[in-house]
Amino acid sequence: MKIKILNLPLLLSKEEIYPFLNLGPGSDSLPANIDKLIDSHLRSITQLAKPQGIIRVCSVSEITPDQVVLDGASLVIAGPRAAAHFITCEKVTLLAATLGSRIDEHLAELQQKASAADAFIFNGIASAAVEHTTDILDDIAVRDIRRSSYY
């Protein structure tokens, strides 16, 4: 099976970032230095990130009370709770997303050379960015599923 790698946009707003930094909506109450760090790291992530993802639909070959086995994939979804969730499924859609290695490299550099606040804020923004990327990927998968008439 051919796997297509999708290049995805990264259009992240500050409002999407705040929950990953344990901040409430709006930046009215943020100290200026924290707001400046957020802006700086958001620009860095936008420049460094190469958001990509893959979508793969697998048929279910076997469901037991403890696991779901997929056709053509070495992945087994294990555990009674997970198996129960998939009990009526004929297909499973797998998603994978990445921002690219430059994000991890930059975070490691910040952890070694910068303040804990820098690393925390960069990591929070990167987490929001990968969540944003996964949401886009999920929207594409849902559209494809509806077009293929299986739910």
Side-chain angles (χ1 to χ4, degrees):
M1 163 183 256
K2 183 178 178 186
I3 301 215
K4 181 180 177 185
I5 296 175
L6 305 170
N7 294 308
L8 304 167
L10 182 58
L11 305 169
L12 193 59
S13 71
K14 286 174 83 170
E15 286 72 29
E16 291 173 283
I17 294 166
Y18 294 145
F20 291 86
L21 299 174
N22 292 326
L23 298 172
S27 62
D28 297 340
S29 61
L30 290 181
N33 62 330
I34 299 298
D35 196 44
K36 188 175 179 179
L37 276 176
I38 291 171
D39 287 338
S40 173
H41 289 312
L42 179 56
R43 275 192 306 277
S44 294
I45 286 174
T46 302
Q47 292 168 355
L48 294 170
K50 301 294 181 217
Q52 294 183 317
I54 60 170
I55 301 169
R56 183 172 176 194
V57 178
C58 298
S59 294
V60 173
S61 66
E62 179 186 0
I63 299 178
T64 70
D66 294 321
Q67 68 180 16
V68 179
V69 180
L70 306 176
D71 279 340
S74 60
L75 175 71
V76 173
I77 301 170
R81 290 176 123 181
H85 179 77
F86 292 99
I87 197 75
T88 61
C89 295
E90 295 176 12
K91 296 183 182 202
V92 173
T93 302
L94 305 174
L95 307 176
T98 183
L99 298 177
S101 62
R102 292 173 63 194
I103 297 296
D104 288 333
E105 292 164 2
H106 191 74
L107 178 58
E109 185 178 313
L110 285 175
Q111 290 170 329
Q112 294 296 316
K113 299 178 181 176
S115 71
D118 273 305
F120 175 80
I121 290 171
F122 185 89
N123 188 56
I125 296 170
S127 295
V130 80
E131 182 76 18
H132 175 82
T133 300
T134 304
D135 287 344
I136 292 170
L137 203 56
D138 184 59
D139 290 343
I140 294 168
V142 167
R143 185 189 68 222
D144 290 348
I145 288 167
R146 288 190 174 134
R147 190 177 312 135
S148 300
S149 298
Y150 69 91
Y151 308 16

